[in-house]
Amino acid sequence: MPDHHDPGSTALSIAAELRRLDPGALAALRRMGDDGAVAAYWRLAASRPPLSDRPAQWAPIVRALAILTPKGAPEERGDLHDPKRPLGTALCDGGDPDWPGRLSPGQKPKAAFSERRLAQFMAARGRQRNILLTRAIRALAASKPASAGLRVPDIAWAFLQSDPSEMLAKSYYHRLDRAERAAEPTETPADA
């Protein structure tokens, strides 16, 4: 049973339930507006007081989790949660743990979610931030391998915090920096 005072715990319980949901209900949650006016949302809210107490806050989170939940039959869906993959990291690498793959000499890794888009998100406030975050989640869902997960509580915190910029940017740029350093040619003594 989730700890109803901890948004991360609530998000984890929702993600686990979405994994078992039938494709029709999951599709309805993906299309849901910010008001939570979908029967499947209220089914989830029945055992999670934060969802019923604050649907305007939680409907975008549930929609984001539904968007990220792999399509197909419930028994074929993998676990969405990977505690070692922060949301910022997944935005940088598109959810692909093998990113950037093999690069040609001199080629730099390119983040899946551009730095420009990340900067726009970080500068946005209120409803606009939720819109941009939902777009980022949709892009991530389109690019990530179905078997790849991410840290589910980060999604809840990204919507609930007044400014989640540091949480996302820190792991985003850590991932980008590591990939850029790995792509840099190394000098050998003969080159010097």
Side-chain angles (χ1 to χ4, degrees):
M1 194 62 151
D3 175 358
H4 298 301
H5 300 291
D6 175 23
S9 175
T10 300
L12 286 168
S13 77
I14 293 166
E17 184 70 24
L18 294 178
R19 187 175 174 194
R20 297 185 293 270
L21 218 54
D22 72 82
L26 198 53
L29 289 170
R30 288 184 183 114
R31 295 186 306 266
M32 173 178 63
D34 288 345
D35 55 3
V38 172
Y41 176 85
W42 291 102
R43 171 70 77 181
L44 292 168
S47 60
R48 295 167 185 87
L51 277 68
S52 58
D53 295 345
R54 296 183 308 281
Q57 283 185 319
W58 279 92
I61 298 166
V62 171
R63 180 179 54 229
L65 291 170
I67 290 167
L68 288 166
T69 299
K71 295 179 181 177
E75 61 275 4
E76 296 171 5
R77 294 182 196 139
D79 191 2
L80 179 58
H81 181 59
D82 180 348
K84 296 178 184 165
R85 302 229 354 111
L87 177 57
T89 298
L91 288 174
C92 180
D93 64 24
D96 183 358
D98 296 326
W99 176 88
R102 292 184 53 92
L103 298 173
S104 302
Q107 186 180 13
K108 288 189 136 204
K110 184 179 178 193
F113 187 71
S114 74
E115 290 182 80
R116 181 186 58 79
R117 289 178 69 192
L118 181 66
Q120 287 174 335
F121 168 75
M122 290 190 307
R125 298 291 178 259
R127 180 162 163 63
Q128 185 62 25
R129 175 176 275 153
N130 279 359
I131 290 168
L132 293 177
L133 183 54
T134 301
R135 286 180 186 165
I137 294 292
R138 287 188 189 284
L140 179 57
S143 68
K144 82 175 193 63
S147 61
L150 58 115
R151 199 161 52 203
V152 167
D154 286 3
I155 297 166
W157 287 116
F159 279 99
L160 294 173
Q161 287 180 338
S162 61
D163 187 3
S165 300
E166 182 181 339
M167 174 188 76
L168 295 177
K170 183 177 179 180
S171 57
Y172 177 98
Y173 282 107
H174 182 72
R175 178 71 162 133
L176 184 58
D177 183 64
R178 278 191 326 210
E180 287 174 346
R181 287 177 190 258
E184 288 177 1
T186 55
E187 283 190 46
T188 61
D191 295 336

